[in-house]
């Protein structure tokens, strides 16, 4: 009987102390609800790799995260061996004609595509990053082009900092036919 009286007393004091904070796993909560430990939210929308979001009313639900952001280099011309996609071949052009990285992130993949079928075999996509005022630094990622395909993907982890200048140079024995596009995803 004493347990029930204590429980009712605890519930009543929580309900009537509207301005007080409630803690789970802490005796000194620092917010309206202060939880020390893991939280499990099960509402039927949960799943692997989902993120918790809220609507205008503040109601939280689980959602599939948006696709990774990307930037793209493209040209309607062919790309000769060693050229920068969309920028030409002169290395001095790299410093002036690049994409400026919008925030700290990691380059996670490169997708190479053309209007014409790619010749099967390896293509090297060299990611040039310049962190002003330093010199450009190259990271080469190998793209293995499957037979009779229009695109190929490679994955990597190139750290980028907001303000970095980025370009992609393609190295292949025969060059690439017209309509070359390179999409770079980052996270």
């Amino acid at each position: 009987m004493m347990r029930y009286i204590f429980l009712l007393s605890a519930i009543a004091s929580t309900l009537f102390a509207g301005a007080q904070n409630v803690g789970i796993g802490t005796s000194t909560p620092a917010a309206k609800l202060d939880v020390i430990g893991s939280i499990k939210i099960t509402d039927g929308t949960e799943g692997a790799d989902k993120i918790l979001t809220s609507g205008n009313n503040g109601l939280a639900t689980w959602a599939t995260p948006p696709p990774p952001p990307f930037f793209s280099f493209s040209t309607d011309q062919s790309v000769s061996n060693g050229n920068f996609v969309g920028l030409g071949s002169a290395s001095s052009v790299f410093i002036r004609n690049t994409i400026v990285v919008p925030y700290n992130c990691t380059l996670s993949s490169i997708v190479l595509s053309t209007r014409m079928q790619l010749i099967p075999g390896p293509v090297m996509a060299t990611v040039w990053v310049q962190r002003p005022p330093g010199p450009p630094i190259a990271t080469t990622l190998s793209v293995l082009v499957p037979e009779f395909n229009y695109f190929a993907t490679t994955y990597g982890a190139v750290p980028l900092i907001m303000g970095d200048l980025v370009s992609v140079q393609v190295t292949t024995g025969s060059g690439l036919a017209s309509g070359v596009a390179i999409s770079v995803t980052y996270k």
Side-chain angles (χ1 to χ4, degrees):
M1 181 70 168
M2 190 54 108
R3 275 191 308 194
Y4 296 116
I5 292 172
F6 176 74
L7 179 60
L8 288 174
S9 174
I11 292 171
S13 67
T14 300
L15 291 175
F16 293 115
Q20 291 183 351
N21 297 334
V22 176
I24 299 173
T26 179
S27 58
T28 56
K32 284 290 182 191
L33 177 61
D34 190 348
V35 178
I36 305 294
S38 298
I39 298 173
K40 182 177 180 182
I41 301 175
T42 307
D43 68 351
T45 63
E46 67 279 350
D49 299 322
K50 291 209 174 174
I51 57 173
L52 195 60
T53 61
S54 66
N56 292 337
N57 60 2
L59 183 62
T61 58
W62 292 105
T64 302
F70 70 96
F71 42 86
S72 176
F73 302 90
S74 62
T75 181
D76 63 350
Q77 306 297 315
S78 60
V79 176
S80 298
N81 185 32
N83 275 6
F84 290 91
V85 175
L87 302 175
S89 59
S91 60
S92 62
V93 175
F94 168 76
I95 297 168
R96 294 191 308 271
N97 296 310
T98 57
I99 290 179
V100 179
V101 176
Y103 52 79
N104 297 351
C105 58
T106 300
L107 182 149
S108 55
S109 71
I110 292 177
V111 178
L112 170 70
S113 62
T114 66
R115 279 196 298 246
M116 303 189 65
Q117 288 183 339
L118 295 166
I119 298 170
V123 175
M124 305 308 249
T126 302
V127 179
W128 287 90
V129 178
Q130 183 186 24
R131 192 158 295 149
I137 298 171
T139 302
T140 301
L141 304 173
S142 178
V143 181
L144 184 59
V145 178
E147 192 169 355
F148 305 116
N149 212 330
Y150 292 90
F151 68 92
T153 304
T154 187
Y155 299 95
V158 179
L160 302 173
I161 295 176
M162 183 173 71
D164 281 353
L165 305 175
V166 177
S167 184
V168 177
Q169 182 181 27
V170 175
T171 307
T172 176
S174 59
L176 298 173
S178 63
V180 178
I182 290 186
S183 297
V184 177
T185 61
Y186 55 92
K187 56 183 176 178

